[in-house]
Structures are given as C-alpha cells and as structure tokens.
Amino acid sequence: MQLRELFVPSAINLDLAAETKDEALKELVSCLGLDGKSEGILYKMLKRRENLGSTGIGRGIAIPHCRSLVVTRLRVAFGRKLSGLDFKAIDEKPVRYVFLIVAPPLEVSNQYLPVLGKIAQFGKEADVPEALAELSSPEQFIELLEAKDL
Amino acid sequence: MDQQLELLLEIQDLRMQRRELTDGSTDLEAEVFDVKIEDAIRSLDEKVEELAERLARGIRERYRRIADKAPRVVAPVINGICYGCFVAVSTARASEADRNLRVESCEYCGCFLYHVG
Ligand SMILES: [Zn+2]
C-alpha cells in the first residue's frame, strides 16, 4: 500500500482556517466525515496524545496520531497553515504542515505504525517543507508523494 | 451516546495507547517524537484510573473484573459482529435506534460493546 492511496482530496486542506493547535486538530478531524460524537472522542484522544509530548517533530511539521475505537479503518489527513501554528514543537518553531493519522485498535493489515514511520521519514527529508509550501492543489500533494515513491 | 459508555470508550482508547507504547510504537515515539516512555505510561495510567473512578459503581466493578484479565474492555461491534470474540451479537441489540444509548456487554466474551459506523 502506497501512502498516496490513503489520502483523499477531501482530507487535504492547503489553507486551514485554524489559528491554534486545537483548532487545527478539530479542523482536520472534521475532514474525516465522522459523526459529531465520534469527532469529539477522537479530538479528545489526539489531545491526550499531545499531552504526552508534542507531535511537532520540527521543521514546521507535526504528525498528530492515535488509535481509537471510533474509526473502522486507517484514516489520514493533511492540513497546511502557511502563517504557522504554535504546536509546542520539538524545535519550538511554528508548525505549517500537519499530518493526521488515526487507526482503529485492530487493523487487518497493520498499516498504522508503518504509515506513521513513513510520514515521519518523509517529513525529515530536506526538500519536503519547501515542496509542501509550494503546493497549490490537493492533486499536487498526491503528486509530491508519488515523486517520492510513497 | 450514554455518558458511561463514552467514559469506557476513552478508557479503552487510553489503554490501547498505553499498550502500544510498550509493545509497538516504543522506538518511534521515543526517537521521532521524543516521548519519555516511562513518564507517558505513568501519565496514561493515572488518567485511566481517574476516568475509571468516574464510572458508576456497578459498571466500574464490571470494568475492573474485565480489565484485570484482558487488555480489551470495550469491543467494537461492526456489522453486528462483536470484535472481541467475532461472534454475531443478537439483532435486537444491534438495532440502530438504541445503539450506544446504554451500556451493553457481549454475552459471549463479556466485553462492553460499542457500535461503530
Ligand atoms: Zn464478544
């Protein structure tokens, strides 16, 4: 399974309205098309994960992630906020690119950790933040993953 | 959704997170996200306990009995199947109208049930 096959255009938001970390988490959760109650539970879980340590891995990239019973399969979303969000990232720099990953407790294909690892690796590549900054459509985001053979 | 069920769901998700930290994502969380694993586990245990204290007495007692034995206390029900034991739960239970409106248990494996999707 390639990373790009997991991203659907409706869950790629290149211009988040969010002004804060919490708003960004909510906005990305809302891209997944869950019911309101499930969104609330998922948001709470993501916050709980953030409380263990920020998922801002540096260089403007954050990867909030968790498992939850409210989803039935692995879901991902991408959000961009060019003016930056305070995510309490490891390098203390503002976060501009947010990759959300959520998975059910049980997955047949066990993709959650490999996907988390791949996105973390992707985020560490030198040219990636600049490439993400230049995207002008969700399709270009998919093409970027394709160019990286992800 | 029943509030007690919502608490149980949160507890289950946190227990899952804890399990994964010790058996799965340990290296990733420590190396990529700089999580202090022992501190994180302690914090999750405290949170789980705090939430468990908010369960009504009868449910809390049932919860403790299950939690002592198995990692999973709440099982998702997907398309009428309990994913704790992979047995079909009776159709009356799975009826959409009262899904997740009260706390139910699987009569086969004992897990609390959460209808997903
Ligand atoms: Zn069962």
Side-chain angles (χ1 to χ4, degrees), chain B residues 75 82-87 89 106-111 113:
Chain B
C82 166
Y83 273 62
C85 61
F86 297 96
V87 169
V89 296
C106 173
E107 54 191 294
Y108 303 102
C109 69
C111 284
L113 296 176

Side-chain angles (χ1 to χ4, degrees), chain A residues 37 44 48-49 65 68, chain B residues 6 10 13 20 29 72:
Chain A
K37 201 79 200 178
K44 231 191 250 182
R48 293 245 157 89
R49 169 59 192 79
H65 57 278
S68 175
Chain B
E6 197 174 331
E10 268 187 68
D13 282 352
E20 190 137 280
E29 291 288 6
R72 185 186 297 117

Side-chain angles (χ1 to χ4, degrees), chain A residues 35 37-38 40-42 44-46 48-49 51-57 62-72 90 104-106 112-114 116-117 120-121 124, chain B residues 1 6 8-10 12-14 16-17 20-21 23-25 28-29 31-36 39-41 43-44 47 51 54 72 74-76 78 83 86 114 116-117:
Chain A
D35 63 86
K37 201 79 200 178
S38 300
I41 292 171
L42 193 53
K44 231 191 250 182
M45 269 320 284
L46 288 165
R48 293 245 157 89
R49 169 59 192 79
N51 289 341
L52 302 179
S54 174
T55 60
I57 60 170
I63 315 175
H65 57 278
C66 71
R67 285 193 193 264
S68 175
L69 276 165
V70 302
V71 292
T72 51
I90 290 170
L106 296 167
Y112 174 61
L113 291 178
L116 185 55
Q121 196 106 47
K124 283 185 171 170
Chain B
M1 187 188 308
E6 197 174 331
L8 286 165
L9 271 187
E10 268 187 68
Q12 177 60 45
D13 282 352
L14 289 171
M16 180 71 214
Q17 199 172 89
E20 190 137 280
L21 272 183
D23 181 21
S25 65
L28 207 56
E29 291 288 6
E31 283 157 27
V32 178
F33 298 99
D34 206 20
V35 168
K36 311 283 175 280
D39 293 351
I41 287 171
S43 149
L44 287 171
K47 196 73 219 174
L51 293 173
R54 283 162 53 193
R72 185 186 297 117
V74 182
I78 304 169
Y83 273 62
F86 297 96
Y114 172 64
V116 196

